[in-house]
Each structure stands twice: as structure tokens, then as C-alpha cells.
């Protein structure tokens, strides 16, 4: 195992909305900070589930899409230049005899810190990959698992593949943007779809193909040109510029038990200071369990700053309980 010898004041595990705001606040408290995120991008559930959705319940922001919220949160987090590590899954957390925490990733690195803030949610969600040859060649170029920035599909022929209401949601969003929208469903119904959504789909210009499967992708260097779909024994080759697929998500559970943390229903039990059962490890956001806990973005912000203030006190008991940004930043 390779050891990163720098000892940070705080390592935040998880770079979702909670981890990002927590990192910003660590900077405000003058703490050296590292975020370790198992994904190749920041944003957690907001990036995976809500990139194009309008969010209304963040104080001071009447409405904002998930993607735009994340852009602002990243800008805020980068203000104090935290170290950000991508694509590493923390498997083990150990407190050494000298009180320093060693965090070992499955990728073979050991990270060191005086305190740890767990901002992992309950784990990482990965999309279920369609069973299609060469799909990875197109992924992130013309095949996508989420609908970031709908305007990128303006004037394009888009095929959506989903058996759930998410496919309908995407189709209705793209109908007025894309040149043509196909919605391919291997079943004859859409899981979890409300009658009103089905009605809107029927009234739309979306071309719906039920009982149909994706058979083959055609294109070059990641650029899709067409897709063959099959319904019963009939094959049809359709010109397509982009493919979006949603076939559910699989969860990789964060191994809290391995880390020695007390849990309740797979979430980390914390007290009012966001302290866990291990001295020096704090938690915030969807990862936590306490009476009255709500699974909301804004709850993660408050819990994050409480966790940071507690971590600061843990390192330096004489530090003030909190600080004001209006006092720290004078312009
Ligand atoms: C469909 C849906 C709609 C929602 N709508 C709203 C809404 O309108 N308003 C609202 O306020 N909230 C909403 N929420 C809730 C909101 O998305 C969550 O409360 C918020 O995203 C939690 O953020 P988090 O950072 O605590 O956790 P997450 O977003 O889950 O982020 C955790 C991060 O930790 C990483 N991670 C996990 N384990 C490890 C590990 N071992 N090593 C390294 N990295 C790890 C994960 O990859 C992930 O990026 C919604 C949620 C869903 C699913």
C-alpha cells in the first residue's frame, strides 16, 4: 500500500453536496482538508438523480437545477483549495496509537488525517449497464446514464431506453428540445408511472416503442450513428445521435461496520455535535442517523458545519465554537 505521508486536519469521505459544503467550511476554520470521492465526479446523489431537476428547498435560492447547484457548490468548496481525490473507495478506517487515522482505499492508497468526517450518504449508486456489446465505447460521449444539460440534445435524434417513469420524464423534457425522441421500453408498461404522466406521453410527439429491446449500436470512435431495436422478430435500424439509458441503479454500501462505527439501519449514529462512537470521527448528511433526521440537502449543510466545528474543537479544544464568514472575509 502506498502511503500519502501528509497528515491532513480533516479527511472528508464523500464528495456529495454535504462533503462539498463541509470542505468549504473546513477552509473557513483554517483546517487542511482532503475530500476522497469514489466516483469520477463530485455531486453524489444530486449528480446521479437530479442533474436537470429544479430544486426549490435551498435557503436563499428560489430555484436551481441540480447541475447548477453543484457548479456553485464546487466553486464555493474550491475557495480554500481542498485536496480532492477521485475514484478511490475507502474500505478501512483505523485509528493508530498516536491518534492519527489511516484511511485505506481499495485502490491501494493510505490517507492520513487527525479527524475524519463521514459524508458518504449510505454508499455509491452505479447505473445498471445495458447488456450491449461495445456500449462503454460510447459512454460519456453519445451514451449517457443521466441527463446533464438537456440543451446539448437540441436538434438531435435521441433514443431513451427505460422501463420506468424516468424514461417518460426524460422524454417529456427533451420533446421540445431534441429533433426527435424515441422511448424504447422492453416491457409493455412503465414502472411507477402516474396516469397523468402516461397521458402526457400519449399526447406528446415522443415515438414510443413498447416490448422492444436495444439490439446493436452502430457508430465509430464513440459517436453513435444508429441503433437497431427489435420487437418480437422484427428489427428496425433507427438513426440516433444520443442514447440515454436508465435500467435502475445498484448500491455499493459504505462499509461503516468495518470502520467500527455504530449504525442504525445502515446509517451512522451521531450525537448533537455530529460525533460518532469513535473519538475524532464525525459524520454529516444522508450518512447520519439521529432522532428527527431529514434526508435533505440543506440538512447536510448544517450537519456538515457542526461536524467541522466539532472536529476543530477535537484538534484544538481552545478554538472558538464557531466563526462568522462576515468577520473572516471583509469583502
Ligand atoms: C429522487 C431524489 C430526489 C430528491 N429531491 C430532493 C430535493 O428536492 N431537495 C432536497 O433537499 N433533497 C432532495 N433529495 C435528497 C438529496 O439528494 C440528499 O439529501 C443529498 O444529496 C445527500 O447528500 P450527501 O452528500 O449527504 O450524500 P450523497 O449525495 O449520497 O453523497 C455521498 C458521496 O459519498 C461517496 N462515497 C460513499 N461511500 C464512499 C466510500 N467508501 N469512499 C469514497 N466515497 C464514498 C459517494 O460516491 C457519493 O458521491 C432527493 C433525493 C432523491 C434520491
Amino acid at each position: 500500500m502506498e502511503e500519502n505521508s501528509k497528515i491532513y486536519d480533516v479527511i472528508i469521505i464523500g464528495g456529495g453536496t454535504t462533503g462539498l459544503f463541509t470542505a468549504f467550511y473546513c477552509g473557513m476554520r483554517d483546517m487542511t482538508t482532503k475530500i476522497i470521492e469514489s466516483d469520477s465526479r463530485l455531486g453524489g446523489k444530486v449528480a446521479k438523480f437530479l442533474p436537470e431537476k429544479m430544486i426549490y428547498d435551498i435557503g436563499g435560492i428560489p430555484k436551481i437545477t441540480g447541475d447548477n447547484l453543484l457548479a456553485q457548490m464546487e466553486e464555493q468548496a474550491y475557495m480554500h483549495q481542498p485536496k480532492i481525490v477521485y475514484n478511490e473507495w475507502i474500505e478501512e478506517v483505523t485509528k493508530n496509537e498516536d491518534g492519527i487515522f489511516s484511511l485505506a482505499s481499495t485502490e491501494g492508497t493510505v490517507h492520513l488525517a487527525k479527524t475524519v468526517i463521514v459524508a458518504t450518504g449510505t454508499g455509491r449508486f452505479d447505473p445498471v449497464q445495458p447488456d450491449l456489446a461495445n456500449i462503454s465505447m460510447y459512454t460519456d460521449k453519445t451514451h449517457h446514464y443521466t441527463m446533464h444539460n438537456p440543451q446539448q440534445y437540441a436538434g438531435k435524434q435521441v433514443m431513451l431506453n427505460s422501463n420506468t417513469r424516468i424514461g417518460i420524464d426524460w422524454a417529456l423534457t427533451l420533446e421540445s428540445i431534441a429533433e426527435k425522441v424515441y422511448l424504447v421500453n422492453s416491457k409493455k408498461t412503465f414502472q411507477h408511472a402516474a396516469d397523468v404522466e402516461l397521458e402526457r406521453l400519449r399526447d406528446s410527439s415522443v415515438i414510443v416503442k413498447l416490448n422492444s429491446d436495444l439490439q446493436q449500436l452502430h457508430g465509430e470512435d464513440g459517436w453513435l450513428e444508429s441503433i437497431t431495436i427489435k420487437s418480437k422478430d422484427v428489427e428496425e435500424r433507427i438513426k440516433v445521435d444520443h442514447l440515454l439509458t436508465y435500467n435502475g441503479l445498484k448500491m455499493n454500501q459504505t462499509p461503516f461496520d468495518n470502520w467500527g462505527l455504530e449504525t442504525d439501519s445502515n446509517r451512522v449514529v451521531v450525537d448533537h455535535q455530529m460525533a460518532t462512537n469513535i473519538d475524532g470521527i464525525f459524520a454529516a448528511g444522508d450518512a447520519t442517523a439521529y432522532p428527527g433526521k431529514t434526508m435533505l440537502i440543506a440538512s447536510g449543510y448544517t450537519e456538515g458545519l457542526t461536524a467541522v466545528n466539532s472536529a476543530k474543537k477535537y484538534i484544538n479544544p481552545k478554538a472558538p465554537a464557531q466563526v462568522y464568514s462576515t468577520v473572516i472575509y471583509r469583502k
Side-chain angles (χ1 to χ4, degrees), residues 259-277:
W259 303 353
L261 292 171
E262 184 191 341
T263 56
D264 178 4
S265 307
N266 291 327
R267 293 177 198 272
V268 180
V269 174
V270 288
D271 66 12
H272 63 286
Q273 291 181 315
M274 296 298 127
T276 69
N277 60 309

mmCIF file of all heavy atoms in Angstrom, residues 259-277:
data_model
loop_
_atom_site.group_PDB
_atom_site.id
_atom_site.type_symbol
_atom_site.label_atom_id
_atom_site.label_comp_id
_atom_site.label_asym_id
_atom_site.label_seq_id
_atom_site.Cartn_x
_atom_site.Cartn_y
_atom_site.Cartn_z
ATOM 1 N N TRP A 259 -15.529 -0.082 9.708
ATOM 2 C CA TRP A 259 -14.813 1.059 10.286
ATOM 3 C C TRP A 259 -15.033 1.146 11.799
ATOM 4 O O TRP A 259 -14.491 2.025 12.457
ATOM 5 C CB TRP A 259 -15.272 2.378 9.645
ATOM 6 C CG TRP A 259 -15.120 2.447 8.148
ATOM 7 C CD1 TRP A 259 -14.508 1.534 7.336
ATOM 8 C CD2 TRP A 259 -15.605 3.476 7.277
ATOM 9 N NE1 TRP A 259 -14.580 1.922 6.019
ATOM 10 C CE2 TRP A 259 -15.251 3.114 5.946
ATOM 11 C CE3 TRP A 259 -16.297 4.666 7.470
ATOM 12 C CZ2 TRP A 259 -15.568 3.898 4.833
ATOM 13 C CZ3 TRP A 259 -16.615 5.455 6.361
ATOM 14 C CH2 TRP A 259 -16.253 5.068 5.067
ATOM 15 N N GLY A 260 -15.886 0.275 12.327
ATOM 16 C CA GLY A 260 -16.150 0.253 13.775
ATOM 17 C C GLY A 260 -17.200 1.256 14.206
ATOM 18 O O GLY A 260 -17.340 1.555 15.398
ATOM 19 N N LEU A 261 -17.958 1.797 13.239
ATOM 20 C CA LEU A 261 -18.953 2.820 13.586
ATOM 21 C C LEU A 261 -20.273 2.181 13.999
ATOM 22 O O LEU A 261 -20.716 1.192 13.393
ATOM 23 C CB LEU A 261 -19.190 3.741 12.380
ATOM 24 C CG LEU A 261 -18.009 4.639 12.011
ATOM 25 C CD1 LEU A 261 -18.260 5.355 10.689
ATOM 26 C CD2 LEU A 261 -17.741 5.658 13.120
ATOM 27 N N GLU A 262 -20.891 2.787 15.007
ATOM 28 C CA GLU A 262 -22.213 2.309 15.423
ATOM 29 C C GLU A 262 -23.233 2.784 14.386
ATOM 30 O O GLU A 262 -23.211 3.954 13.973
ATOM 31 C CB GLU A 262 -22.550 2.905 16.798
ATOM 32 C CG GLU A 262 -23.861 2.396 17.358
ATOM 33 C CD GLU A 262 -24.314 3.199 18.577
ATOM 34 O OE1 GLU A 262 -23.479 3.889 19.211
ATOM 35 O OE2 GLU A 262 -25.521 3.138 18.860
ATOM 36 N N THR A 263 -24.094 1.874 13.963
ATOM 37 C CA THR A 263 -25.056 2.241 12.918
ATOM 38 C C THR A 263 -26.486 1.918 13.341
ATOM 39 O O THR A 263 -26.721 1.122 14.246
ATOM 40 C CB THR A 263 -24.766 1.483 11.599
ATOM 41 O OG1 THR A 263 -24.762 0.077 11.865
ATOM 42 C CG2 THR A 263 -23.456 1.896 10.980
ATOM 43 N N ASP A 264 -27.407 2.573 12.646
ATOM 44 C CA ASP A 264 -28.830 2.282 12.805
ATOM 45 C C ASP A 264 -29.392 2.269 11.385
ATOM 46 O O ASP A 264 -29.305 3.285 10.677
ATOM 47 C CB ASP A 264 -29.473 3.396 13.650
ATOM 48 C CG ASP A 264 -30.970 3.183 13.828
ATOM 49 O OD1 ASP A 264 -31.482 2.145 13.369
ATOM 50 O OD2 ASP A 264 -31.619 4.066 14.416
ATOM 51 N N SER A 265 -29.929 1.144 10.955
ATOM 52 C CA SER A 265 -30.441 0.990 9.583
ATOM 53 C C SER A 265 -29.423 1.476 8.551
ATOM 54 O O SER A 265 -29.748 2.290 7.670
ATOM 55 C CB SER A 265 -31.758 1.746 9.404
ATOM 56 O OG SER A 265 -32.670 1.383 10.382
ATOM 57 N N ASN A 266 -28.192 1.013 8.687
ATOM 58 C CA ASN A 266 -27.109 1.335 7.742
ATOM 59 C C ASN A 266 -26.716 2.805 7.706
ATOM 60 O O ASN A 266 -26.132 3.274 6.726
ATOM 61 C CB ASN A 266 -27.456 0.885 6.311
ATOM 62 C CG ASN A 266 -27.464 -0.610 6.206
ATOM 63 O OD1 ASN A 266 -26.692 -1.280 6.899
ATOM 64 N ND2 ASN A 266 -28.339 -1.139 5.372
ATOM 65 N N ARG A 267 -27.063 3.552 8.738
ATOM 66 C CA ARG A 267 -26.605 4.939 8.821
ATOM 67 C C ARG A 267 -25.836 5.111 10.125
ATOM 68 O O ARG A 267 -26.072 4.382 11.094
ATOM 69 C CB ARG A 267 -27.787 5.912 8.772
ATOM 70 C CG ARG A 267 -28.475 5.877 7.425
ATOM 71 C CD ARG A 267 -29.692 6.767 7.374
ATOM 72 N NE ARG A 267 -30.531 6.384 6.253
ATOM 73 C CZ ARG A 267 -30.405 6.851 5.018
ATOM 74 N NH1 ARG A 267 -29.484 7.743 4.748
ATOM 75 N NH2 ARG A 267 -31.203 6.440 4.059
ATOM 76 N N VAL A 268 -24.952 6.096 10.160
ATOM 77 C CA VAL A 268 -24.043 6.251 11.298
ATOM 78 C C VAL A 268 -24.741 7.028 12.416
ATOM 79 O O VAL A 268 -25.240 8.145 12.189
ATOM 80 C CB VAL A 268 -22.770 7.016 10.852
ATOM 81 C CG1 VAL A 268 -21.809 7.177 12.017
ATOM 82 C CG2 VAL A 268 -22.106 6.303 9.689
ATOM 83 N N VAL A 269 -24.750 6.450 13.596
ATOM 84 C CA VAL A 269 -25.386 7.108 14.741
ATOM 85 C C VAL A 269 -24.490 8.266 15.203
ATOM 86 O O VAL A 269 -23.286 8.082 15.422
ATOM 87 C CB VAL A 269 -25.600 6.095 15.888
ATOM 88 C CG1 VAL A 269 -26.125 6.790 17.137
ATOM 89 C CG2 VAL A 269 -26.558 4.992 15.436
ATOM 90 N N VAL A 270 -25.085 9.460 15.307
ATOM 91 C CA VAL A 270 -24.330 10.638 15.768
ATOM 92 C C VAL A 270 -25.077 11.318 16.914
ATOM 93 O O VAL A 270 -26.292 11.148 17.055
ATOM 94 C CB VAL A 270 -24.128 11.686 14.637
ATOM 95 C CG1 VAL A 270 -23.130 11.206 13.610
ATOM 96 C CG2 VAL A 270 -25.456 12.068 13.990
ATOM 97 N N ASP A 271 -24.325 12.124 17.692
ATOM 98 C CA ASP A 271 -24.985 12.929 18.724
ATOM 99 C C ASP A 271 -25.205 14.342 18.182
ATOM 100 O O ASP A 271 -24.990 14.600 16.986
ATOM 101 C CB ASP A 271 -24.172 12.896 20.030
ATOM 102 C CG ASP A 271 -22.812 13.585 19.893
ATOM 103 O OD1 ASP A 271 -22.575 14.277 18.870
ATOM 104 O OD2 ASP A 271 -21.981 13.430 20.802
ATOM 105 N N HIS A 272 -25.590 15.278 19.052
ATOM 106 C CA HIS A 272 -25.926 16.633 18.580
ATOM 107 C C HIS A 272 -24.696 17.384 18.061
ATOM 108 O O HIS A 272 -24.824 18.426 17.429
ATOM 109 C CB HIS A 272 -26.615 17.422 19.698
ATOM 110 C CG HIS A 272 -25.741 17.633 20.891
ATOM 111 N ND1 HIS A 272 -25.451 16.608 21.774
ATOM 112 C CD2 HIS A 272 -25.064 18.718 21.326
ATOM 113 C CE1 HIS A 272 -24.637 17.067 22.710
ATOM 114 N NE2 HIS A 272 -24.388 18.344 22.459
ATOM 115 N N GLN A 273 -23.493 16.862 18.328
ATOM 116 C CA GLN A 273 -22.281 17.505 17.781
ATOM 117 C C GLN A 273 -21.776 16.780 16.539
ATOM 118 O O GLN A 273 -20.668 17.007 16.083
ATOM 119 C CB GLN A 273 -21.198 17.539 18.851
ATOM 120 C CG GLN A 273 -21.577 18.496 19.976
ATOM 121 C CD GLN A 273 -20.516 18.584 21.036
ATOM 122 O OE1 GLN A 273 -19.975 17.557 21.461
ATOM 123 N NE2 GLN A 273 -20.219 19.790 21.463
ATOM 124 N N MET A 274 -22.580 15.882 16.038
ATOM 125 C CA MET A 274 -22.246 15.066 14.867
ATOM 126 C C MET A 274 -21.062 14.143 15.147
ATOM 127 O O MET A 274 -20.338 13.727 14.246
ATOM 128 C CB MET A 274 -21.955 15.941 13.619
ATOM 129 C CG MET A 274 -23.158 16.728 13.159
ATOM 130 S SD MET A 274 -24.509 15.631 12.654
ATOM 131 C CE MET A 274 -25.847 16.272 13.627
ATOM 132 N N ALA A 275 -20.866 13.844 16.432
ATOM 133 C CA ALA A 275 -19.794 12.923 16.827
ATOM 134 C C ALA A 275 -20.313 11.493 16.748
ATOM 135 O O ALA A 275 -21.467 11.221 17.104
ATOM 136 C CB ALA A 275 -19.340 13.240 18.246
ATOM 137 N N THR A 276 -19.462 10.599 16.282
ATOM 138 C CA THR A 276 -19.821 9.179 16.225
ATOM 139 C C THR A 276 -19.314 8.496 17.503
ATOM 140 O O THR A 276 -18.791 9.162 18.403
ATOM 141 C CB THR A 276 -19.166 8.509 15.001
ATOM 142 O OG1 THR A 276 -17.747 8.451 15.231
ATOM 143 C CG2 THR A 276 -19.446 9.277 13.718
ATOM 144 N N ASN A 277 -19.412 7.188 17.538
ATOM 145 C CA ASN A 277 -18.915 6.448 18.711
ATOM 146 C C ASN A 277 -17.385 6.403 18.754
ATOM 147 O O ASN A 277 -16.810 5.994 19.757
ATOM 148 C CB ASN A 277 -19.472 5.018 18.719
ATOM 149 C CG ASN A 277 -19.078 4.237 17.481
ATOM 150 O OD1 ASN A 277 -19.268 4.716 16.363
ATOM 151 N ND2 ASN A 277 -18.529 3.060 17.649
#
